[in-house]
Amino acid sequence: MNRSLAEHYRDILVGVGENPEREGLRDTPERAAKAMQYLCNGYTMSLEEVINGALFESLNDEMVIVRDIELYSLCEHHLLPFTGKAHVAYIPTGRVLGLSKVARVVDIFARRLQIQENLTKQIAETIQLITDAAGVAVVIEAKHMCMMMRGVEKQNSVMTTSVMLGAFRESPATRHEFLQLIGRLG
């Protein structure tokens, strides 16, 4: 039997001791189902549709950085949000990616059930695949509601993850330049 997402949310309300028929909750299962579908719409996004041909020839072979890309995701362990920002850099080898497409790549993977470590790696590997860059670097800084609202309840903790590929991994000077430009070095 294939039950709708809204029916499952109704069961959750009952499971936590609520009455899904009370006025404030009557439409909650449908609203929650729509919200969850939106928050997880990365599963329905196609990389080809998102990039949509926005890869352009360029003689630039210097670092390209998009900083402070807001991201919103759901922890796959508790289904609670984590929010933060991604910093993405790549070194082109003849082609550059349209600026908004970098943010859209972040969204494709952030809008799935995730752990931050995997999210960082998926973004880096996808930018590498799309651009065939000499190197890709991704740093994500995020606050996790599963750590803030439950468990250890640490309100000010920030998790930072990074993935360095190609020139960013091989060259300490390139990595240092990236980290300095995103403000992570003094």
Side-chain angles (χ1 to χ4, degrees), residues 103-144:
R104 290 187 188 278
V105 168
V106 171
D107 283 345
I108 286 174
F109 297 106
R111 296 294 184 165
R112 298 177 182 186
L113 301 179
Q114 279 290 8
I115 61 172
Q116 185 174 327
E117 297 90 337
N118 290 348
L119 174 60
T120 310
K121 185 174 175 71
Q122 290 165 347
I123 294 166
E125 289 176 346
T126 300
I127 296 293
Q128 177 66 50
L129 176 71
I130 294 167
T131 63
D132 194 30
V136 175
V138 177
V139 170
I140 295 179
E141 303 163 299
K143 289 189 168 199
H144 293 250

Side-chain angles (χ1 to χ4, degrees), residues 36-49:
M36 184 59 82
Q37 287 171 328
Y38 178 78
L39 295 173
C40 292
N41 68 11
Y43 293 114
T44 63
M45 292 182 190
S46 150
L47 187 57
E48 293 75 25
E49 288 176 17

Side-chain angles (χ1 to χ4, degrees), residues 13 18-31:
L13 291 173
E18 263 296 352
N19 174 6
E21 297 306 318
R22 80 172 168 84
E23 182 181 356
L25 293 177
R26 275 189 209 122
D27 296 327
T28 296
E30 289 78 18
R31 285 191 299 262

Side-chain angles (χ1 to χ4, degrees), residues 36-92:
M36 184 59 82
Q37 287 171 328
Y38 178 78
L39 295 173
C40 292
N41 68 11
Y43 293 114
T44 63
M45 292 182 190
S46 150
L47 187 57
E48 293 75 25
E49 288 176 17
V50 166
I51 301 305
N52 195 25
L55 202 53
F56 308 103
E57 288 186 29
S58 174
L59 298 176
N60 179 38
D61 62 357
E62 296 293 328
M63 192 180 305
V64 174
I65 302 174
V66 184
R67 287 182 25 192
D68 298 324
I69 302 167
E70 297 137 5
L71 67 87
Y72 306 92
S73 194
L74 292 173
C75 162
E76 68 183 36
H77 299 141
H78 303 100
L79 300 183
L80 291 173
F82 65 94
T83 64
K85 54 189 169 181
H87 313 289
V88 179
Y90 67 99
I91 300 172

